[in-house]
Amino acid sequence: IVEIALMALAISPVPPLLPQRHSQAGGAAHHALALVANFSLSAIVTVPLALEILEHVFARPLSMTPAAVARIVFISSLLPLTAGMFVRAALPRLEPAIEKAVTLIARVLFPAAVLALIAFTAPAMWALIGSGTIAATVIFVVAGLAIGHVMGGPDAGDSRALALATAYRHPALAASIAAANFPGERFGAAIVLYLLVGLIVGLPYLAWQRRLTQRAAAESGSTART
């Protein structure tokens, strides 16, 4: 189950919460928002194509229609982005109040939903622990952070955004990919386990990037004053 979940995560696009993680690392939101939009749109083509390639590699029928992928990424990623762009363009005076209200609701509902999901899947997650499950998940996240950071190039913002985009994937789409191709299995616990491990493993990277951003801002302010 864990192997299938990681495979589905690997071919999924970046998650809708990528901008929040990028901001926690001290980065600008526009980098992460651009990645969310681009990867979400490209996933409509790349996910079915990746499944087609894996089908030939493993000699097992694998598929997911572009329409199914488009529905998930539209609801979870593209629709909120479009709504935000509309509010900023059409209702600029109301934008601060709307943003404040949405942020407040998210801060209350998101942790509650996460805790409920963990409580619901805890027995199944506990059953998955062992036989290298945690190690494989840690390697998945660390490798994604390292590869994305290096491939991002010399610009700190680009390397940070690409590192987070490579390590963290869209959980809802990954679960849908896995369930569509292996209907007899339950992947919720494996996906939640990945999210928890990814959250913990990513903390040192986020702290490191935050310190670099603060140091660069301090040096820039010092240079401006001189």
Side-chain angles (χ1 to χ4, degrees), residues 133-144:
T133 297
I134 299 297
T137 309
V138 170
I139 292 172
F140 182 94
V141 177
V142 172

Side-chain angles (χ1 to χ4, degrees), residues 32-199:
L33 288 171
L35 285 173
V36 170
N38 290 330
F39 275 88
S40 296
L41 287 171
S42 63
I44 299 172
V45 176
T46 59
V47 169
L49 179 60
L51 287 171
E52 184 76 18
I53 295 172
L54 291 172
E55 178 178 344
H56 289 288
V57 171
F58 295 106
R60 178 188 176 93
L62 298 171
S63 65
M64 190 170 188
T65 65
V69 177
R71 182 173 62 254
I72 295 172
V73 298
F74 177 75
I75 294 174
S76 62
S77 300
L78 298 178
L79 182 59
L81 283 175
T82 303
M85 293 170 61
F86 173 79
V87 169
R88 172 164 289 189
L91 305 168
R93 294 183 179 180
L94 296 178
E95 179 194 351
I98 295 175
E99 180 180 1
K100 185 177 180 180
V102 171
T103 301
L104 180 61
I105 294 172
R107 286 178 178 175
V108 174
L109 294 182
F110 182 72
V114 170
L115 291 175
L117 188 60
I118 293 173
F120 181 75
T121 58
M125 278 195 296
W126 183 256
L128 291 175
I129 295 176
S131 302
T133 297
I134 299 297
T137 309
V138 170
I139 292 172
F140 182 94
V141 177
V142 172
L145 289 172
I147 293 171
H149 187 85
V150 172
M151 296 297 292
D155 183 81
D158 291 342
S159 62
R160 183 189 305 115
L162 192 58
L164 296 173
T166 307
Y168 298 107
R169 321 305 296 169
H170 198 304
L173 184 55
S176 298
I177 293 171
N181 290 282
F182 299 88
E185 304 288 348
R186 295 185 178 182
F187 298 94
I191 299 296
V192 175
L193 182 62
Y194 155 78
L195 293 175
L196 290 176
V197 172
L199 177 64

